[in-house]
Amino acid sequence: MTNHEVWDKTIELNGVAIQSVVCMEECLELIKAISKRLRGELDIENNLAEEMADVTICLYQLARMYDVDDTDVHAWIDRKTERQRKRNALQDHQSGETTR
């Protein structure tokens, strides 16, 4: 079985509601892993990468469960990146004014 087949089978076995809760829990675990890194804790077991992998899998599953098209996701990524580009430029401009 391919990765996608395994992940699809998991949805089939658990159902949308339970797998959605699992995805929420995986997001929480990623938040905890980030928090630990920010507090300076060592990540000997590579927990951050593991939790990032779990959330990546969940993003695939969420798209499948809720019929979210990759094209839509990428369009949102483009919009949000452009908005952040503008914010960065404004922040650069403002920080240049404060150093003068």
Side-chain angles (χ1 to χ4, degrees), residues 69-94:
D69 188 77
D70 278 350
T71 304
D72 294 333
V73 172
H74 288 286
W76 276 107
I77 290 170
D78 290 344
R79 283 184 214 138
K80 289 184 172 282
T81 301
E82 180 59 20
R83 184 174 66 193
Q84 190 61 49
R85 185 195 63 73
K86 290 175 182 176
R87 287 178 181 162
N88 291 352
L90 179 61
Q91 189 174 354
D92 275 347
H93 177 73
Q94 290 173 341

Side-chain angles (χ1 to χ4, degrees), residues 2-3 7 13 16 18 25-26 37 45 48-49 53-54 57 65 69 78 81-82 86-87 100:
T2 66
N3 289 348
W7 304 335
L13 293 172
V16 170
I18 289 175
E25 292 169 349
E26 293 298 348
R37 292 293 289 269
E45 296 179 8
L48 182 58
D54 287 341
I57 292 167
M65 292 186 293
D69 188 77
D78 290 344
T81 301
E82 180 59 20
K86 290 175 182 176
R87 287 178 181 162
R100 290 180 194 175

Side-chain angles (χ1 to χ4, degrees), residues 1 14 17 29-30 44 47 50 59 71 87 98:
M1 285 182 108
N14 289 343
E29 290 177 17
L30 177 58
I44 297 168
N47 184 252
E50 177 185 357
L59 291 173
T71 304
R87 287 178 181 162
T98 59

Side-chain angles (χ1 to χ4, degrees), residues 44-63:
I44 297 168
E45 296 179 8
N46 213 8
N47 184 252
L48 182 58
E50 177 185 357
E51 299 308 335
M52 290 172 67
D54 287 341
V55 170
T56 300
I57 292 167
C58 285
L59 291 173
Y60 167 85
Q61 290 178 321
L62 288 166

